């Protein structure tokens, strides 16, 4: 079957069309996205403003038309922290449904962690043993660990790269004192949830997903995306530690010139690097393997698992 997947994230809104059936890997057939930056379209009360809501409705209408043109049988649609946390999130969802016919499912942070874990498990397989999975989004950091397809522990922490940049790094390049305060905040919040993850046992494979981790791996020497998804990619802690002081001194424009870093996400890379460093430090991980599958694939796989075999 051909499915459309509409992913409304804090940074990007993305329509992915895949050919998929139960028991097989979903094959991407078409991709269309825009950096709507919904989490930045907030008023003083934290509500999504008119411009953000208008942009979401417009892209969703476009996505519905594209999905029909591409022959999709159905469209899976979901949203993450930006809509989950906005006080007027329900009203925005109602407007999207009324004007486009699409009912966005708002995932909890724990669901994000669980579904990302499923995607990583399917990508690397059972031979990976006990997995620990980390995903840095725009609004939150998801952590999951376990030995099965469903993680033993799945948690979400408000340590997304976009959120931390907006709330903690006001200068460009960032101020030294702001970086110090942000680093402390990250480690305090992460340490508060580290216990359950550590009690799940030391992972036999530690994995990172998300654009932030892929960008960090790329600037530290990993293969470019053009080489395809099957090339192994790793983010090494020692390499990251060498790069963090450089990233802190760079402006967003200078970061955007780095390989694998888009102009839209360059401003968030320093905060993302601080989160990645804290992950590897607090969980004592010398390296993280980068998985090309993440939340979107987890949503697809979960949907396919619910289908009755023909």
């Amino acid at each position: 079957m051909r499915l459309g997947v509409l992913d409304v994230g804090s940074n990007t809104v993305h329509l992915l069309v895949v050919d998929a059936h139960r028991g097989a890997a979903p094959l991407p057939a078409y991709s269309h996205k825009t950096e709507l930056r919904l989490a930045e379209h907030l008023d003083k009360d934290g509500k999504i403003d008119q411009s953000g809501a208008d942009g979401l409705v417009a892209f969703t209408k476009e996505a519905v038309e594209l999905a029909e043109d591409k022959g999709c049988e159905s469209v899976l649609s979901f949203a993450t922290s930006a809509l989950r946390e906005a006080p007027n999130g329900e009203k925005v969802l109602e407007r999207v449904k009324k004007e486009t016919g699409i009912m966005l499912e708002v995932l909890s942070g724990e669901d994000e962690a669980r579904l990302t874990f499923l995607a990583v498990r399917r990508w690397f397989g059972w031979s990976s043993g006990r997995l620990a999975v980390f995903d840095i989004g725009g609004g939150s950091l998801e952590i999951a660990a376990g030995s099965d397809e469903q993680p033993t522990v799945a948690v979400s922490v408000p340590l997304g790269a976009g959120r931390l940049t907006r709330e903690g790094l006001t200068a460009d390049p960032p101020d030294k004192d702001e970086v110090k305060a942000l680093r402390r905040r990250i480690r305090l919040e992460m340490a508060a949830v580290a216990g359950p993850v550590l009690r799940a046992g030391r992972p036999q494979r530690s994995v990172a997903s998300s654009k932030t981790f892929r960008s960090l791996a790329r600037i530290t020497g990993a293969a470019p995306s053009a080489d395809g998804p099957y090339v192994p990619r790793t983010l090494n802690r020692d390499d990251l530690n060498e790069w963090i002081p450089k990233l802190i001194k760079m402006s967003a424009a200078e970061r955007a010139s780095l390989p694998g870093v888009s102009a839209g996400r360059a401003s968030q890379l320093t905060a993302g690097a601080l989160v990645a460093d804290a992950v590897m430090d607090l969980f004592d991980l010398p390296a993280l393997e980068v998985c090309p599958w993440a939340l979107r694939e987890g949503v697809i796989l979960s949907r396919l698992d619910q289908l009755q075999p023909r």
Side-chain angles (χ1 to χ4, degrees):
M1 63 188 303
R2 176 161 280 198
L3 292 172
V5 185
L6 179 61
D7 173 359
V8 179
S10 297
N11 289 315
T12 304
V13 186
H14 189 175
L15 172 70
L16 180 67
V17 174
V18 297
D19 291 315
H21 63 269
R22 189 178 183 191
L27 297 176
Y30 177 79
S31 175
H32 177 60
K33 60 185 175 181
T34 185
E35 288 190 345
L36 181 58
R37 296 187 172 280
L38 202 58
E40 295 181 9
H41 286 277
L42 303 177
D43 64 18
K44 59 183 178 58
D45 298 318
K47 295 179 180 179
I48 295 171
D49 64 22
Q50 186 70 36
S51 174
D54 290 347
L56 178 57
V57 169
F59 186 89
T60 303
K61 285 180 180 178
E62 185 180 5
V64 170
E65 294 174 0
L66 287 170
E68 290 176 354
D69 289 345
K70 299 299 179 183
C72 294
E73 294 182 27
S74 60
V75 176
L76 306 177
S77 56
F78 65 93
T80 56
S81 62
L83 274 168
R84 183 170 68 234
E85 297 176 6
N88 65 335
E90 286 294 333
K91 288 185 177 180
V92 175
L93 291 171
E94 289 171 7
R95 181 184 167 194
V96 172
K97 175 68 166 65
K98 180 179 179 180
E99 297 188 29
T100 71
I102 292 292
M103 186 67 235
L104 290 167
E105 178 186 3
V106 179
L107 300 177
S108 69
E110 291 73 18
D111 281 341
E112 288 188 55
R114 177 179 57 81
L115 290 165
T116 302
F117 184 91
L118 172 65
V120 173
R121 169 63 74 192
R122 294 282 177 89
W123 180 268
F124 285 113
W126 292 110
S127 62
S128 299
R130 189 162 50 250
L131 277 175
V133 177
F134 305 90
D135 185 293
I136 303 172
S140 57
L141 164 72
E142 275 67 53
I143 305 172
S147 300
D148 301 321
E149 285 210 328
Q150 293 297 319
T152 304
V153 57
V155 297
S156 180
V157 195
L159 294 176
R163 180 198 301 270
L164 295 177
T165 302
R166 289 192 307 275
E167 297 175 356
L169 300 178
T170 61
D172 182 31
D175 176 79
K176 182 174 64 175
D177 290 336
E178 283 189 332
V179 171
K180 183 178 179 180
L182 185 60
R183 183 180 185 275
R184 182 173 183 273
R185 169 185 168 180
I186 290 167
R187 287 167 180 262
L188 283 173
E189 294 198 32
M190 199 178 299
V193 300
V197 181
L198 293 170
R199 282 193 290 274
R202 184 161 186 83
Q204 291 162 293
R205 196 164 207 157
S206 301
V207 179
S209 65
S210 76
K211 177 65 174 176
T212 295
F213 274 120
R214 290 197 298 272
S215 295
L216 292 170
R218 178 72 184 97
I219 66 172
T220 58
S225 59
D227 286 1
Y230 298 105
V231 176
R233 295 174 175 87
T234 302
L235 175 63
N236 293 297
R237 187 178 170 204
D238 288 345
D239 294 336
L240 180 62
N241 285 339
E242 288 184 14
W243 265 94
I244 286 176
K246 301 176 188 178
L247 293 174
I248 291 171
K249 293 177 182 178
M250 290 180 179
S251 66
E254 289 171 327
R255 284 182 233 118
S257 68
L258 297 172
V261 181
S262 68
R265 291 179 182 262
S267 64
Q268 305 178 11
L269 194 62
T270 299
L274 293 174
V275 174
D277 178 54
V279 163
M280 300 172 84
D281 185 10
L282 293 180
F283 293 99
D284 191 24
L285 303 171
L288 289 166
E289 296 179 70
V290 179
C291 181
W293 280 5
L295 178 58
R296 270 190 301 275
E297 288 76 17
V299 169
I300 296 166
L301 293 167
S302 179
R303 173 71 177 91
L304 294 175
D305 287 349
Q306 296 169 19
L307 298 178
Q308 294 297 322
R310 294 180 179 176

